[in-house]
């Protein structure tokens, strides 16, 4: 029994004893009898609840990830061994603090062997939320001698960032999706255009060398997230924009990578397909402000369609396209997720 509960019980019994002595006579005897009965019932409840340590619990949670802001139904079942029938039970789930409080019903145990409880978590925030136990409290009607038993019951809810559907994925940077980027040189072969000859490389190698090009349209998209000292609302908006962009590109088969500016260990190499979508959305679900806070913007270093999503009004020079997000990012920044498509249309190539 916890100290506060024990102290409360003692105070109640002492108050009854004082009242019995003060009243005296039959009234005092009646009060004393009531106090004695309460003590006996509390002792019986405390001793009779010992078998409940063998109880077990099961929790039903959504198996698939949900989207932030969704309402999530939860069901729990507690399986009870035989115990004293006059026990008063209180069953409560113990969700992570970010999910708020849940109902805590009290019921007479009687001959129950199973207790079911269903409730709804409203507006679940983004993140990975881990459950660990279900609390079972047993005692008498006045809770003079309660016993608390923690029943292990692990579980989790993964909430992806909110997303908005984009009618058409934003094009890659550059004036033309088929823009060519120089990749290197190679030996001249019949059929090569003379205009592709590389004079200095030819002089160095002593054999005609031609430039090789890579089509910009074949490059992966890489999202760099940079949010120094950002507000929580701006962080959520930034991650939602990143999720919306990534999903729109992956839906048409384009490879996408992710670079949180302040967490090199959480970079995701470009990839495509449903598995990459799960990786990116899962990573975005668990990012915090410290993962996006860095001394400067990473410059990439890979050949890709580079995108910088930032909450900073002046992130500095960046070799790709820059999308500013949030209240601190200044005029023209995305202020609401519903504005994303319109702001993308205004981006310069």
């Amino acid at each position: 029994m916890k100290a506060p509960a024990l102290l409360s019980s003692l105070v109640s019994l002492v108050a009854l004893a004082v009242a019995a002595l003060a009243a005296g006579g039959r009234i005092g005897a009646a009060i004393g009898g009531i106090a004695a009965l309460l003590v006996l019932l509390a002792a019986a409840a405390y001793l009779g609840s010992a078998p409940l340590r063998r109880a077990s619990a099961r929790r039903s949670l959504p198996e698939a990830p949900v989207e932030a802001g969704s309402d999530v139904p939860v069901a729990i079942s507690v399986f009870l061994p035989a115990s004293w029938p006059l026990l008063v039970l209180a069953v409560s789930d113990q969700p992570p603090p970010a999910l708020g409080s849940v109902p805590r019903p009290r019921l007479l145990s009687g001959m129950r062997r199973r207790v079911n409880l269903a409730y709804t978590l409203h507006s679940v925030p983004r993140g990975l939320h881990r459950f660990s136990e279900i609390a079972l409290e047993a005692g008498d009607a006045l809770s003079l001698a309660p016993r608390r038993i923690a029943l292990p019951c692990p579980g989790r809810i993964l909430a992806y960032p909110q997303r908005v559907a984009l009618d058409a994925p934003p094009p890659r940077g550059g004036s033309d999706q088929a823009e060519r980027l120089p990749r290197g040189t190679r030996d001249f072969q019949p059929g090569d255009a003379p205009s592709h000859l590389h004079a200095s490389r030819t002089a160095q190698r002593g054999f005609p060398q031609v430039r090789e090009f890579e089509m910009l349209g074949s490059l992966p998209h890489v999202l760099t997230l940079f949010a120094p000292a950002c507000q929580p609302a701006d962080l959520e908006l930034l991650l939602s924009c990143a999720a919306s962009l990534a999903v729109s590109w992956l839906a048409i088969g384009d490879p996408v990578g992710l670079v949180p500016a302040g967490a090199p260990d959480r970079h995701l190499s470009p990839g495509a397909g449903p598995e990459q979508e799960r990786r990116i959305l899962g990573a975005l679900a668990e990012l915090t402000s410290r993962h996006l806070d860095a001394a400067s913007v990473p410059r990439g270093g890979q050949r890709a369609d580079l995108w910088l999503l930032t909450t900073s009004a002046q992130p500095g020079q960046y070799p790709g396209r820059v999308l500013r997000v949030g209240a601190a990012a200044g005029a023209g920044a995305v202020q609401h997720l519903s504005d994303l498509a319109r702001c993308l249309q205004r981006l310069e190539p």
Side-chain angles (χ1 to χ4, degrees), residues 22-328:
R26 294 182 178 180
I27 296 178
I31 295 176
I34 292 174
L37 178 61
L38 291 177
V39 170
L40 290 175
L41 289 175
Y46 188 77
L47 296 175
S49 62
L52 294 179
R53 296 186 182 279
R54 301 196 305 271
S56 61
R58 183 176 63 197
R59 183 189 296 103
S60 176
L61 296 172
E63 295 183 3
V66 301
E67 185 170 326
S70 303
D71 293 341
V72 176
V74 181
I76 62 176
S77 296
V78 178
F79 303 92
L80 305 170
S83 58
W84 193 50
L86 295 182
L87 280 177
V88 175
L89 300 178
V91 179
S92 62
D93 203 353
Q94 305 294 298
L99 300 183
S101 59
V102 298
R104 183 176 172 272
R106 290 167 56 88
L107 58 148
L108 193 66
S109 66
M111 301 301 291
R112 291 175 182 266
R113 293 294 176 267
R114 178 172 175 173
V115 176
N116 295 319
L117 174 64
Y119 64 92
T120 300
L121 293 169
H122 296 284
S123 300
V124 172
R126 176 189 60 86
L128 177 60
H129 308 287
R130 298 184 184 276
F131 295 72
S132 59
E133 63 183 37
I134 290 173
L136 178 62
E137 294 186 11
D140 56 290
L142 297 180
S143 297
L144 295 178
R147 183 194 294 269
R148 186 183 188 278
I149 301 171
L151 305 178
C153 191
R156 51 174 263 172
I157 295 176
L158 179 60
Y160 288 160
Q162 290 185 330
R163 303 182 294 282
V164 63
L166 300 174
D167 294 335
R172 291 174 170 83
S175 58
D176 190 342
Q177 291 189 32
E179 179 183 351
R180 297 182 302 173
L181 297 177
R183 185 173 60 184
T185 61
R186 60 171 173 79
D187 291 345
F188 179 86
Q189 296 177 0
D192 287 336
S195 59
H196 291 173
L197 284 171
H198 194 287
S200 61
R201 190 66 173 161
T202 296
Q204 182 182 6
R205 295 292 301 274
F207 187 84
Q209 300 291 302
V210 296
R211 297 181 179 86
E212 279 194 306
F213 295 92
E214 186 171 33
M215 303 304 290
L216 182 61
S218 65
L219 298 181
H221 310 275
V222 174
L223 293 168
T224 297
L225 309 182
F226 177 59
C230 68
Q231 296 297 315
D234 290 349
L235 173 65
E236 297 305 318
L237 181 57
L238 179 79
L239 297 175
S240 291
C241 289
S244 301
L245 286 169
V247 169
S248 69
W249 282 321
L250 290 167
I252 61 173
D254 285 0
V256 182
L258 185 67
V259 178
D265 59 320
R266 291 178 177 255
H267 292 189
L268 291 180
S269 300
E275 185 61 31
Q276 181 71 355
E277 179 176 323
R278 286 190 289 270
R279 281 194 291 266
I280 288 180
L281 292 178
L284 292 173
E286 297 190 58
L287 289 179
T288 64
S289 57
R290 67 181 180 85
H291 296 133
L292 309 185
D293 195 349
S296 60
V297 180
R299 298 301 174 182
Q302 57 183 316
R303 194 176 293 274
D305 174 36
L306 299 174
W307 284 70
L308 173 65
L309 274 65
T310 179
T311 59
S312 173
Q314 296 180 337
Q317 296 296 320
Y318 187 72
R321 308 182 79 178
V322 177
L323 180 65
R324 293 180 293 108
V325 177

